[in-house]
Amino acid sequence: MSDQNVCTAGFTSSGISRGSLASSMMSREAKASGGGVSSGGPTSTLQGMGAKCSTHSSGFTSSGISGGSRASEMMSKEARSHGGGTPRGGTTATVQSI
């Protein structure tokens, strides 16, 4: 994942851009969770990365998730909480896809 892709999706240092993929994602996540966006969820994770412009250093790359990285820790934690697999549409899958 490149820093440019995160910014293009609407996750920026000044917040989520109106009318962007990011705002759509935030809206869907809020509706699914009863009105809020959870800390550590896809939207907040991507916004944190967009604000810092630090996607590659987190371990999400175009070649996959880097071993021993923050991304691999996220993936392991998510897999454990879902019985061994990372769910489609979950934080790890969403961040890696962008």
Side-chain angles (χ1 to χ4, degrees):
M1 168 170 52
S2 75
D3 295 331
Q4 186 59 43
N5 288 349
V6 172
C7 292
T8 300
F11 299 98
T12 71
S13 59
S14 57
I16 292 178
S17 300
R18 178 177 284 195
S20 65
L21 172 64
S23 66
S24 174
M25 191 172 155
M26 181 175 69
S27 176
R28 283 181 297 194
E29 188 177 341
K31 287 175 185 172
S33 66
V37 176
S38 64
S39 176
T43 301
S44 64
T45 300
L46 283 165
Q47 180 53 37
M49 291 176 180
K52 296 176 188 173
C53 291
S54 64
T55 56
H56 288 305
S57 63
S58 298
F60 293 99
T61 72
S62 60
S63 301
I65 293 176
S66 301
S69 66
R70 179 173 173 240
S72 68
E73 291 173 22
M74 281 176 64
M75 184 173 69
S76 291
K77 182 179 178 183
E78 191 171 18
R80 282 192 304 272
S81 70
H82 288 92
T86 55
R88 171 178 266 153
T91 303
T92 304
T94 302
V95 174
Q96 182 60 31
S97 72
I98 293 175

